[in-house]
Amino acid sequence: MLIQQHLQQFLSRTHTNHKTFHVFNLDSDQHSSPPLIKNSSNTSYRHRLLLVSAPTVGFISGLETYEYTISKQDKIEHMIYISKVDTTMTTEETRGVTRQLVLAYIASLPSNSTVFVFARAQPQYLFANSAKNTDKVILSDRDLVSWWLHTLNKAPNAEKGWWFVPGVEDESSALIEIGARKRQWEAAFDWTYGSSYSPDAKAIDVIPRFEDDAKARFLKDHVDDDLSVKGFWELLAFSEECGSGKITGFFELKVNGCVLEEKKAGKEKEKDDKFTEFWNKLMFLDFHNKESILSSTQTAVKEIEKIYSKECEFEVTVEQSSPLEQTKSKQPVVNTLSSMQIKRKREQVNSKEAAVNTLSDSFIKRKKKL
């Protein structure tokens, strides 16, 4: 199933008033990549950016990923690193769109995929100046880790998950730390607190090193330290990115039963000016209020159409009833009940009148006899 079909399904679960969304699925060419882990070969990657907009508000959400393909003799493995997720605003009109975008993307991944996330709170990631927007809710570090845990827990094709908060030793304490206990956390599938790697294994041999990832930066600085996985996580808790009172989260998700890739890996290229060109233009736009969001979206769409073909753009229409339509649908029921009540009341009045008339007739007859 294509990403378009998954978005159709997942965006229908939102409770917004928007019935139409415009989605821009931008990706780079396939590039060769240094090995993600030691002794792994034949690794390539594709850089992807998904943007969701609505006609009256402009861009709502964005998702940036690196999609790695590792070719082995007997199989192909896919490692997906979700690098950035961002919103321009958080209103009743846009609530839930970002979560459904993430879930639709995960559902569209090919078989034998593993998804990795590094959750670190920042005011903005993809939409410049959106931190200044008073309609944007910026999550705290604890709330962000909790958001990712609850979001990934809803992935329909997830088989197994691992998660870890550096500096917090056990799952019960971590759930309390991020507030998941009070949100009535309940695992939908098999989750393990920690990582999928043996604690005694050498960190450099098993932990993948992605672009723009805290683990990769830390491993690079300690490449000669011969750290075990256990020692790596212990030291990472005191690092600049994960220490000093910060709460961060690392997630790994095995997904199965997915469809094949919608785009097969093509010939690797050394340069990809197209993706980089648009990325640089996006970073210099302004999303600080409603007017600038709409204006910058229009500018970005023109750039997309100029740089890319229109094949990367599609429309998603969702079937939702607006509050007004729901109210209208209830009106006939109210009118029917009112008519029934009026009819019943008339019957009661008529029966009382009949009773009065009967009594009056009896009284008159009795008087005549006297």
Side-chain angles (χ1 to χ4, degrees), residues 94-218:
T94 64
R95 194 174 300 279
V97 172
T98 305
R99 172 168 284 164
Q100 300 309 324
L101 170 62
V102 171
L103 292 174
Y105 173 73
I106 292 175
S108 72
L109 293 174
S111 298
N112 202 23
S113 292
T114 308
V115 179
F116 295 85
V117 176
F118 169 44
R120 177 184 57 183
Q122 293 286 349
Q124 61 194 37
Y125 274 113
L126 296 172
F127 301 111
N129 296 323
S130 60
K132 299 177 183 178
N133 187 0
T134 55
D135 288 329
K136 179 175 182 175
V137 175
I138 300 172
L139 297 181
S140 67
D141 51 4
R142 287 167 173 79
D143 288 337
L144 181 67
V145 175
S146 180
W147 185 89
W148 271 110
L149 181 62
H150 283 83
T151 297
L152 296 176
N153 192 49
K154 296 178 182 293
N157 54 340
E159 182 183 70
K160 169 75 177 171
W162 294 264
W163 73 290
F164 184 69
V165 177
V168 182
E169 294 300 321
D170 61 275
E171 183 176 37
S172 180
S173 299
L175 289 171
I176 294 171
E177 184 69 43
I178 65 174
R181 282 284 191 216
K182 64 182 180 182
R183 295 185 180 95
Q184 299 180 334
W185 160 256
E186 185 176 346
F189 51 88
D190 185 15
W191 280 98
T192 296
Y193 188 73
S195 69
S196 63
Y197 319 112
S198 169
D200 299 324
K202 288 186 178 181
I204 197 70
D205 291 344
V206 295
I207 295 178
R209 299 180 293 279
F210 303 113
E211 290 282 339
D212 193 24
D213 179 27
K215 300 191 304 298
R217 287 187 285 270
F218 192 77

Side-chain angles (χ1 to χ4, degrees), residues 1 6 17 39 74 102 109 117 122 146 150 154 173 189 192 214 232 239 283 289 303 318 320 351 368:
M1 190 184 293
H6 284 290
N17 293 330
N39 299 325
D74 55 342
V102 171
L109 293 174
V117 176
Q122 293 286 349
S146 180
H150 283 83
K154 296 178 182 293
S173 299
F189 51 88
T192 296
F232 168 81
S239 67
M283 293 299 106
N289 61 18
E303 291 295 334
V318 296
Q320 294 175 339
S351 64
K368 284 180 178 179

Side-chain angles (χ1 to χ4, degrees), residues 296-310:
S296 291
T297 300
Q298 292 168 351
T299 301
V301 170
K302 289 178 182 177
E303 291 295 334
I304 290 172
E305 292 175 349
K306 184 168 66 175
I307 297 171
Y308 285 85
S309 66
K310 286 196 173 183

Side-chain angles (χ1 to χ4, degrees), residues 230-350:
K230 182 180 179 181
F232 168 81
W233 288 118
E234 289 174 349
L235 284 178
L236 190 66
F238 297 97
S239 67
E240 182 179 351
E241 293 186 81
C242 302
S244 303
K246 301 183 186 75
I247 296 295
T248 58
F250 291 88
F251 299 88
E252 181 179 346
L253 197 68
K254 289 278 188 186
V255 293
N256 282 312
C258 310
V259 296
L260 296 175
E261 290 177 293
E262 54 184 281
K263 183 184 286 188
K264 294 183 179 180
K267 186 178 179 181
E268 295 176 7
K269 296 185 178 181
E270 293 298 323
K271 293 183 179 180
D272 182 39
D273 295 332
K274 187 168 58 175
F275 187 89
T276 305
E277 181 183 352
F278 174 74
W279 179 271
N280 291 336
K281 290 181 182 296
L282 177 66
M283 293 299 106
F284 282 95
L285 294 177
D286 180 24
F287 298 90
H288 79 276
N289 61 18
K290 290 181 180 180
E291 292 75 20
S292 64
I293 291 170
L294 196 55
S295 175
S296 291
T297 300
Q298 292 168 351
T299 301
V301 170
K302 289 178 182 177
E303 291 295 334
I304 290 172
E305 292 175 349
K306 184 168 66 175
I307 297 171
Y308 285 85
S309 66
K310 286 196 173 183
E311 293 178 359
C312 67
E313 177 184 354
F314 56 86
E315 187 176 285
V316 174
T317 303
V318 296
E319 296 295 330
Q320 294 175 339
S321 298
S322 68
L324 180 61
E325 290 172 339
Q326 292 173 358
T327 303
K328 286 181 179 178
S329 66
K330 291 179 181 179
Q331 285 177 350
V333 179
V334 174
N335 291 337
T336 303
L337 288 173
S338 299
S339 300
M340 291 172 65
Q341 289 172 345
I342 292 169
K343 186 177 180 182
R344 197 178 302 133
K345 196 167 184 180
R346 284 176 178 170
E347 289 174 350
Q348 290 173 353
V349 170
N350 291 337

